[in-house]
Amino acid sequence: MVSQPVPDIHPSSNPTTYQEYVTKFATLPTDWSGWLQRAREVSDILAVDAAAREKANKSPRAEVTLLKHSGLTKILGPKKYGGGEQPWSIAYKAIRIVAQGDGSIGMLLGYHLLWSTTANVVGSQEQADRFAKLITENNYFLGGAVNPRDSDLVITTTDSHITFNGAKHFNTGGVVSELTVLEGAIEGRPEEHIFAIVPTQQKGISFAHNWDNVGLRLTESGSVKIENVSAPWEDALGWDVGTKKPDPNVLGIQFGSLFLPTIQLVFVNFYLGIAQGALDFAAKYTKGNTRPWPYGGDNKESSTDEFYILSTYGNFFAHLRAAETLVDRAGEETDKVYAKYGGENRAGLTARERGEFAEWVASAKVVTTDTGLRVTSGIFELTGSRSTHSKVGLDRFWRDIRIHSLHDPVAYKNRELGRYLLLDEIPEPTWYT
């Protein structure tokens, strides 16, 4: 399915950088604890030079290759096709752990895992199995051109194919992917949307390489142009090939809208991981570099004896522990929904159940956004002025959370939760709920 590569002249990290891990990671973990240990190993590798790599701002081909070597790219894939077949709760924790070492790569892993399971949610059973086999057996990495704030890609149709045209301002991970998820609306029928998974390396997909934002700099989230990119009708996810219409048994039920809270919880987990990584990094810096204040009237011999330093670290630690407990609970709710309604029982999911699940995710989004921003900005008060040097890289944690927390305004999650509490209203499914 993957086409011949299109030459890429944009500076990239060397894919052979982590070649030694082809052998070291040759055997996949066999249980959830092994998968989380694998994530920890990858996180530790990335953490060593995360600040320097972020400053270089090269396309993360080496980092994505490391994710592939580790097997984390197929943690959700079926075992029969060589995957880990872990539940979302474990995948979320893996995303979180990788983000502790490098927020950009944690985000890329999260988006990939979401896109790699697109057909499981909005596709037929046959499509879900076919794409799971393709993605898992080949260990493909996925990007997505689906930003809903832009105009839809325009789809034209023939008896055999659908063809996409248009552009998206944001396209996370596409530059370093083998497959890209496209979404658009049929020309003249804007209410009829189609998802399809296509090879990335083709002339009709061109990247602007214009991602130069303040945070998450290695995510390749710049714009992309789509010109005459086609897919057979058989790959139109959730559509009936014979009638050329959406299959109501796939796209006319609540299950198809689980895609949105599922990706929101991806965001939550890399926010949490970035904040945890920031606290750990700052604590090590404080113990090794921060000096006590000599003019306080109650002078201490060590920075770790300073009352305000101990108190603030303790407060941050407590809030992150509380956030982690909430996020884990949301992950458990994800597992319950997919376990109960995946497979042949998709139509059983009710609007109420879907809405209550979404509110667990919204709660976690609010808490991790607030806590993450507070921790990643507040740690500077504990590390001292020398920690602001660019070579330290302490600022990357705040920049990473700050930029992505603007993805969709958290104020609307607060309002949504208020309506749920006061009026017993569940949210209507949208692109962000």
Side-chain angles (χ1 to χ4, degrees):
M1 180 177 180
V2 176
S3 305
Q4 290 298 312
V6 177
D8 176 17
I9 61 174
H10 188 68
S12 302
S13 55
N14 189 339
T16 66
T17 300
Y18 303 107
Q19 190 65 26
E20 64 186 285
Y21 295 99
V22 173
T23 302
K24 290 183 178 180
F25 290 155
T27 302
L28 290 182
T30 57
D31 57 20
W32 68 266
S33 61
W35 281 105
L36 297 187
Q37 176 58 32
R38 179 63 54 85
R40 170 54 55 202
E41 292 168 336
V42 169
S43 183
D44 289 344
I45 294 165
L46 294 169
V48 171
D49 60 350
R53 288 184 295 99
E54 193 228 26
K55 186 178 292 186
N57 197 28
K58 294 181 179 180
S59 293
R61 296 192 182 279
E63 294 85 344
V64 168
T65 301
L66 175 63
L67 291 178
K68 289 185 171 188
H69 292 338
S70 73
L72 291 173
T73 44
K74 47 187 179 179
I75 189 173
L76 293 172
K79 284 185 178 180
K80 64 181 179 180
Y81 299 134
E85 203 166 314
Q86 295 298 303
W88 262 112
S89 61
I90 301 303
Y92 284 140
K93 290 179 181 179
I95 294 165
R96 186 192 313 168
I97 292 169
V98 172
Q100 290 167 8
D102 188 321
S104 288
I105 310 308
M107 174 176 163
L108 283 175
L109 175 61
Y111 272 67
H112 157 78
L113 291 174
L114 187 282
W115 298 133
S116 72
T117 57
T118 304
N120 296 4
V121 181
V122 297
S124 66
Q125 293 290 333
E126 182 276 330
Q127 289 170 327
D129 186 72
R130 175 158 52 90
F131 279 103
K133 184 176 191 295
L134 174 73
I135 293 166
T136 308
E137 286 188 344
N138 293 284
N139 202 14
Y140 286 149
F141 191 83
L142 275 73
V146 185
N147 178 37
R149 291 298 305 276
D150 293 327
S151 297
D152 288 314
L153 298 178
V154 176
I155 300 173
T156 53
T157 67
T158 66
D159 286 343
S160 60
H161 284 75
I162 57 175
T163 300
F164 294 83
N165 279 279
K168 293 289 183 180
H169 283 102
F170 301 108
N171 171 51
T172 293
V175 170
V176 290
S177 70
E178 284 87 23
L179 299 175
T180 292
V181 177
L182 299 180
E183 183 276 332
I186 295 179
E187 188 173 34
R189 292 146 60 185
E191 73 286 352
E192 294 190 342
H193 294 256
I194 302 178
F195 281 87
I197 301 173
V198 301
T200 303
Q201 300 299 325
Q202 55 178 298
K203 290 183 179 180
I205 299 180
S206 54
F207 300 100
H209 297 289
N210 57 355
W211 182 249
D212 190 19
N213 291 42
V214 299
L216 295 169
R217 290 171 58 77
L218 300 190
T219 60
E220 279 290 8
S221 294
S223 57
V224 62
K225 189 173 184 180
I226 308 297
E227 294 182 288
N228 298 317
V229 175
S230 295
W233 268 108
E234 289 78 8
D235 291 351
L237 299 181
W239 280 61
D240 187 297
V241 176
T243 64
K244 307 294 190 293
K245 292 287 185 181
D247 184 343
N249 296 315
V250 178
L251 298 178
I253 58 177
Q254 289 288 325
F255 190 88
S257 68
L258 287 180
F259 195 75
L260 292 316
T262 304
I263 193 172
Q264 285 284 320
L265 202 50
V266 167
F267 304 163
V268 165
N269 275 276
F270 65 75
Y271 292 1
L272 177 58
I274 292 167
Q276 291 172 326
L279 190 68
D280 182 65
F281 188 97
K284 290 175 181 175
Y285 186 93
T286 294
K287 288 186 284 187
N289 299 277
T290 302
R291 295 175 294 177
W293 185 247
Y295 304 108
D298 183 23
N299 299 345
K300 305 297 184 183
E301 292 185 5
S302 169
S303 62
T304 55
D305 292 327
E306 291 275 17
F307 175 85
Y308 80 95
I309 288 179
L310 293 169
S311 174
T312 307
Y313 268 118
N315 184 271
F316 288 169
F317 182 61
H319 279 81
L320 284 176
R321 272 192 162 181
E324 184 170 42
T325 300
L326 174 58
V327 174
D328 285 346
R329 174 62 188 274
E332 292 170 6
E333 294 297 318
T334 309
D335 289 353
K336 289 178 185 177
V337 169
Y338 280 103
K340 185 175 181 180
Y341 296 111
E344 301 295 332
N345 196 30
R346 290 180 176 186
L349 179 66
T350 66
R352 184 74 195 185
E353 288 173 301
R354 190 265 183 203
E356 290 182 346
F357 165 51
E359 295 311 81
W360 276 108
V361 176
S363 298
K365 179 77 174 292
V366 168
V367 170
T368 52
T369 300
D370 292 350
T371 304
L373 290 172
R374 179 169 171 260
V375 169
T376 54
S377 62
I379 51 179
F380 287 96
E381 298 173 16
L382 310 175
T383 52
S385 60
R386 290 185 299 176
S387 69
T388 63
H389 197 290
S390 63
K391 70 179 181 181
V392 176
L394 188 59
D395 58 316
R396 65 187 170 91
F397 299 101
W398 176 83
R399 289 187 285 105
D400 285 351
I401 293 182
R402 178 68 284 177
I403 189 170
H404 201 282
S405 62
L406 303 176
H407 179 278
D408 52 293
V410 74
Y412 285 91
K413 288 287 186 284
N414 283 312
R415 184 186 69 172
E416 178 185 310
L417 288 160
R419 298 186 73 89
Y420 177 66
L421 174 65
L422 296 177
L423 305 175
D424 195 33
E425 290 182 4
I426 55 171
E428 290 289 330
T430 73
W431 283 109
Y432 294 94
T433 303

